[in-house]
Amino acid sequence: MDLALSPDELAFRDEIRTWISGNLPDGWGGPNHREPKTLEERLEVARDWERRLAAGGYSGISWPKEFGGAGLSLMQQVIFHEEMALARAPQISVNFVGINLSGPTIRIYGNDEQRARYLPPILTMEEIWCQGFSEPNAGSDLANVQTRAVIDGDEFVLNGQKVWTSYAHIADWCLVLCRTDPKAPKHKGLSYVIVDMKTPGVDARPLRQITGDAEFNEVFFTDVRVPRENLLGELGMGWTYANTTLAHERGPAFLAHQIRFRNYLKDLIEQAKTRTRDGVALSKHPAFRERIAASYAEVEVMRAVGLRMVTGILKNGRPGLEASMAKLYWSEMVRRMNLLALQMEGMAGLLYGEDSPREGRWHDGYLSSFAQTIAAGSSEIQKNIIAERILGMPRGEVWAPKPKEPA
Ligand SMILES: Cc1cc2nc3c(=O)[nH]c(=O)nc-3n(C[C@H](O)[C@H](O)[C@H](O)COP(=O)(O)OP(=O)(O)OC[C@H]3O[C@@H](n4cnc5c(N)ncnc54)[C@H](O)[C@@H]3O)c2cc1C
């Protein structure tokens, strides 16, 4: 694994740095910067930032040039994400699904008309996408999707319910995984349909989260009529296509997390120098010093895990099983780090919003860290994958002590 930057990559890094310094929104970049409080304000910042990226030619960095993307190499993408994180650029992404999930899937399986219609407005950020996979009884067990699409003349008629659909309430389009053949085996009767979110019968209802924000939704489809030409690829191939979409969910953007966590850790260490407990600075207090050092080590391990994943992609063209290790590691680690930060605040850590010492930053971080252990495959599912496919443990067998023989 040689990840030293070549002269060309160093030149690219400088180019990105220059671009960021000339384009970062006012007030962003410093350790004391506070993100806007409400989701609406944060979305506005994100939209503005994504428009700037698009204007600079950096919105589809992983997309091939023939589809209007920047066509960056994997290492260039890693550099791009790391520089963004180092500069503490806005990280909320309104069109994550369009750029990273729907766009690449349409590029691979869509026909020429679909590519021409849907791809350009994703890159310019004019159209926002959401991902209609999860349902009340289909999350980890995604193949259990029950939303039905019945062919009626030139249209599909869609009925069912999705849940946890991020940004569905502001999205223009939804890539819906639905059942088109209820008689076929579970994995075979699924298809992919592109749904205009403004069609009559589509009802997106935001769900309020523990942080108070409401960025994901329940989406109800009641007799929604979708033109047949909105079928992506072939009928009944939804499961295969969905797996392609999911493979794009954990890409090199992951490496940027590690830099962002390093930034948080830096802030946390600064805080530990000035806050005291029992008359001692937290940085010297035995109850905190060791945990801060452990957090430092964890961020370093995370970088190594991330680089291992990049090496896997360089060798095999797509993330391998390391992606599960990386996802499990960082999502659990960030929860520990946020909890430490919150406990460093003492009783004040219980306060929320403007009353709290850091305007609720760690409070929010801790509460939302739970979502990360569920999104894109829960920790338990990652552990199953690691156990079965990396460690070779038996599939689906639960260990239990043997009943004792009667004496
Ligand atoms: C922030 C966030 C954003 C999301 N955005 C979207 C989106 O835009 N579009 C979308 O379609 N979905 C989205 N999701 C949904 C996400 O994909 C699901 O929440 C996830 O797949 C888990 O499914 P579930 O919630 O139905 O939980 P379930 O699958 O019902 O699981 C419940 C619990 O059981 C455990 N469990 C389940 N099966 C097993 C097993 N075999 N072995 C051991 N334990 C098991 C799980 O780990 C979990 O703890 C989002 C979720 C979050 C948190």
Side-chain angles (χ1 to χ4, degrees):
M1 171 162 102
D2 176 12
L3 292 158
L5 299 186
S6 68
D8 281 353
E9 286 163 349
L10 285 170
F12 176 74
R13 186 196 64 187
D14 293 343
E15 175 195 318
I16 295 293
R17 272 189 193 169
T18 309
W19 186 86
I20 295 175
S21 67
N23 286 277
L24 211 55
D26 285 346
W28 283 74
N32 297 322
H33 170 74
R34 293 285 164 269
E35 289 197 10
K37 286 212 174 31
T38 66
L39 180 66
E40 287 66 32
E41 288 167 333
R42 289 205 299 281
L43 289 180
E44 197 36 55
V45 169
R47 278 178 188 274
D48 173 58
W49 179 239
E50 288 185 336
R51 275 186 223 114
R52 287 183 202 217
L53 286 170
Y58 295 120
S59 63
I61 57 168
S62 60
W63 290 30
K65 283 196 169 144
E66 58 173 309
F67 293 108
L72 299 187
S73 70
L74 183 68
M75 275 315 287
Q76 285 177 322
Q77 292 174 49
V78 170
I79 294 167
F80 176 87
H81 289 299
E82 289 202 336
E83 288 302 315
M84 288 290 162
L86 274 172
R88 298 182 189 239
Q91 62 173 327
I92 182 172
S93 175
V94 185
N95 213 8
F96 178 90
V97 170
I99 292 284
N100 297 295
L101 307 181
S102 313
T105 313
I106 292 170
R107 221 172 56 218
I108 298 169
Y109 299 114
N111 56 34
D112 287 345
E113 288 77 34
Q114 288 170 334
R115 289 176 180 154
R117 165 62 189 87
Y118 298 115
L119 297 182
I122 293 179
L123 278 187
T124 53
M125 302 291 169
E126 283 163 292
E127 290 183 349
I128 307 290
W129 283 70
C130 62
Q131 178 193 19
F133 277 24
S134 305
E135 296 181 1
N137 289 312
S140 304
D141 183 13
L142 187 59
N144 198 36
V145 156
Q146 298 300 325
T147 294
R148 286 274 282 122
V150 176
I151 296 173
D152 180 22
D154 286 343
E155 293 172 321
F156 289 101
V157 181
L158 201 62
N159 278 286
Q161 182 199 346
K162 297 289 172 184
V163 72
W164 314 129
T165 323
S166 305
Y167 302 124
H169 57 306
I170 56 167
D172 300 286
W173 296 99
C174 185
L175 198 51
V176 175
L177 187 62
C178 52
R179 194 157 292 282
T180 40
D181 183 356
K183 293 199 190 89
K186 215 164 141 182
H187 294 80
K188 296 220 166 118
L190 297 169
S191 299
Y192 241 172
V193 173
I194 298 170
V195 178
D196 181 342
M197 291 297 281
K198 291 173 198 78
T199 319
V202 178
D203 181 13
R205 301 181 195 164
L207 290 166
R208 193 153 298 282
Q209 298 145 225
I210 196 171
T211 53
D213 288 336
E215 68 196 19
F216 48 37
N217 302 257
E218 291 180 290
V219 184
F220 295 86
F221 299 102
T222 311
D223 293 331
V224 176
R225 301 197 80 86
V226 182
R228 262 189 89 161
E229 67 211 34
N230 285 22
L231 173 75
L232 189 72
E234 291 174 40
L235 203 66
M237 288 296 288
W239 184 250
T240 307
Y241 303 161
N243 278 301
T244 303
T245 307
L246 292 171
H248 283 89
E249 204 160 5
R250 290 172 230 137
F254 157 82
L255 259 187
H257 285 342
Q258 163 264 135
I259 307 260
R260 293 199 188 266
F261 297 151
R262 193 171 290 226
N263 289 341
Y264 298 160
L265 185 67
K266 262 194 226 157
D267 299 349
L268 192 143
I269 291 171
E270 284 311 307
Q271 199 180 328
K273 288 181 191 161
T274 52
R275 289 191 84 82
T276 59
R277 187 76 45 85
D278 311 317
V280 183
L282 295 183
S283 56
K284 300 208 167 100
H285 195 294
F288 292 95
R289 189 178 167 79
E290 209 171 290
R291 289 172 68 197
I292 294 168
S295 264
Y296 180 86
E298 288 193 323
V299 172
E300 293 302 310
V301 171
M302 186 176 161
R303 180 169 170 76
V305 172
L307 291 176
R308 190 171 170 185
M309 186 171 91
V310 170
T311 311
I313 304 176
L314 284 171
K315 276 192 188 147
N316 308 316
R318 52 176 285 169
L321 294 172
E322 317 85 36
S324 287
M325 290 164 57
K327 159 76 194 352
L328 176 66
Y329 190 81
W330 79 257
S331 60
E332 296 286 340
M333 182 206 92
V334 73
R335 191 158 72 178
R336 287 191 288 274
M337 191 195 284
N338 273 293
L339 178 63
L340 169 63
L342 206 57
Q343 289 172 337
M344 282 170 49
E345 304 277 15
M347 291 297 278
L350 295 174
L351 296 174
Y352 183 67
E354 284 172 13
D355 291 335
S356 80
R358 311 263 301 171
E359 295 177 353
R361 171 179 171 179
W362 300 120
H363 193 283
D364 264 6
Y366 180 62
L367 294 181
S368 57
S369 67
F370 287 85
Q372 304 302 339
T373 63
I374 301 171
S378 71
S379 288
E380 289 76 15
I381 295 300
Q382 306 307 329
K383 283 179 188 168
N384 281 351
I385 294 171
I386 293 167
E388 289 164 10
R389 293 166 59 190
I390 301 181
L391 301 176
M393 290 169 76
R395 193 182 158 85
E397 282 181 30
V398 179
W399 183 86
K402 285 199 179 117
K404 281 193 180 140
E405 295 288 326

